[in-house]
Amino acid sequence: MAARRGDKVSVLLPTYNERENLPLVVWLLVRTFRQSGTEFEIIVIDDGSPDGTQQVAEQLQRVYGAGTILLRPRPKKLGLGTAYIHGMKHATGNFIVIMDADLSHHPKFIPEFIRKQKEGNFDIVSGTRYKGNGGVYGWDLKRKLISRGANFLTQVLLRPGASDLTGSFRLYRKEVLQKLMEKCVSKGYVFQMEMIVRARQLGYTIGEVPISFVDRVYGESKLGGNEIVSFLKGLLTLFATT
């Protein structure tokens, strides 16, 4: 389903060592938006990837045009939250999609996000792995248990009113995302969770669309022991302050 006339979607794609994945995710995004008749732009925010991701992004810009692919690189790895802030400064759409560039989030769900947003006039539409026919594919049992456990702890402590707090595939009204970014203080994986918690505090409405999350095809996962410790610390901080 196409967005309303005059609507434009800006996709923010933070990247770090995604040279193999970026061409395919961009091709899927372009195909999805063109088929649905939605005006769009893709903003690639590369954090100084040593594998040549930025050079691949430059080639993609030559293929699809500077009006479709915007390159907003940064000199080094500076974190996900600041990548969104940086990308948002250059976004011209009134809706913003955030997603991973590693093919774990399939662009085919974006028209469903747009449909859901129109249906309920939601401020945020969040992809959920834990509702309806949503699911996770390609993870081992340990990774699934960590994710489920993190989500369960979050639900118990924060009562956020959304089923998937740690996911990072969402559609926001641009002005809503800007307000939330001003309020959020977390870094890393806690950042996505805080966005939903702050949204609830500020009275924003949240719709959900079941999605299939597929583990990355190329490259290595960036989730390690340090991220898990940071997540738990961030969760307790949110619990104490919200």
Side-chain angles (χ1 to χ4, degrees):
M1 179 180 284
R4 286 174 290 262
R5 188 176 295 279
D7 284 344
K8 182 178 181 179
V9 177
S10 300
V11 179
L12 303 187
L13 274 187
T15 58
Y16 188 77
N17 287 349
E18 299 289 0
R19 63 169 295 153
E20 289 103 339
N21 295 314
L22 191 60
L24 186 49
V25 77
V26 165
W27 180 78
L28 287 167
L29 280 164
V30 171
R31 186 183 70 164
T32 299
F33 282 120
R34 285 179 178 168
Q35 284 179 348
S36 66
T38 303
E39 191 181 357
F40 72 100
E41 63 186 2
I42 301 166
I43 303 173
V44 181
I45 307 116
D46 186 63
D47 274 2
S49 297
D51 75 340
T53 299
Q54 178 61 20
Q55 288 70 41
V56 170
E58 288 165 5
Q59 291 172 356
L60 291 168
Q61 188 182 56
R62 285 195 286 274
V63 171
Y64 293 106
T68 298
I69 311 288
L70 285 72
L71 308 182
R72 297 294 179 262
R74 303 190 297 176
K76 60 181 181 178
K77 207 170 181 183
L78 296 167
L80 194 59
T82 57
Y84 290 140
I85 292 169
H86 181 67
M88 201 160 47
K89 286 176 186 170
H90 305 282
T92 59
N94 56 327
F95 287 100
I96 292 185
V97 165
I98 63 167
M99 63 185 294
D100 295 344
D102 62 4
L103 298 173
S104 55
H105 297 144
H106 199 297
K108 70 181 180 183
F109 293 107
I110 294 175
E112 293 182 43
F113 285 19
I114 293 168
R115 189 180 300 117
K116 187 73 176 181
Q117 193 282 325
K118 288 168 72 173
E119 187 183 286
N121 201 27
F122 293 108
D123 297 308
I124 303 164
V125 176
S126 181
T128 176
R129 298 162 289 180
Y130 305 125
K131 201 173 178 182
N133 58 357
V136 174
Y137 302 91
W139 277 3
D140 59 20
L141 183 61
K142 178 186 169 189
R143 188 88 190 267
K144 284 183 179 178
L145 287 173
I146 290 170
S147 178
R148 280 282 187 181
N151 209 58
F152 175 74
L153 267 177
T154 307
Q155 295 290 345
V156 169
L157 292 176
L158 303 177
R159 298 181 303 281
S163 63
D164 192 343
L165 272 289
T166 53
S168 52
F169 193 7
R170 295 176 186 156
L171 170 80
Y172 290 87
R173 292 185 195 273
K174 184 181 180 183
E175 67 274 14
V176 168
L177 184 57
Q178 286 170 324
K179 290 254 175 58
L180 290 172
M181 297 301 297
E182 290 167 12
K183 298 279 184 186
C184 284
V185 295
S186 302
K187 301 284 186 290
Y189 290 89
V190 187
F191 165 77
Q192 303 293 1
M193 181 172 67
E194 186 180 0
M195 294 284 276
I196 293 293
V197 173
R198 300 293 178 201
R200 183 202 63 186
Q201 279 185 327
L202 294 168
Y204 292 130
T205 54
I206 304 168
E208 292 190 308
V209 169
I211 62 161
S212 303
F213 178 97
V214 181
D215 197 20
R216 60 167 51 247
V217 179
Y218 300 107
E220 293 180 11
S221 170
K222 299 165 183 87
L223 177 67
N226 290 340
E227 282 76 15
I228 294 167
V229 172
S230 298
F231 171 82
L232 292 171
K233 284 182 181 172
L235 176 60
L236 292 173
T237 302
L238 277 177
F239 177 62
T241 59
T242 59

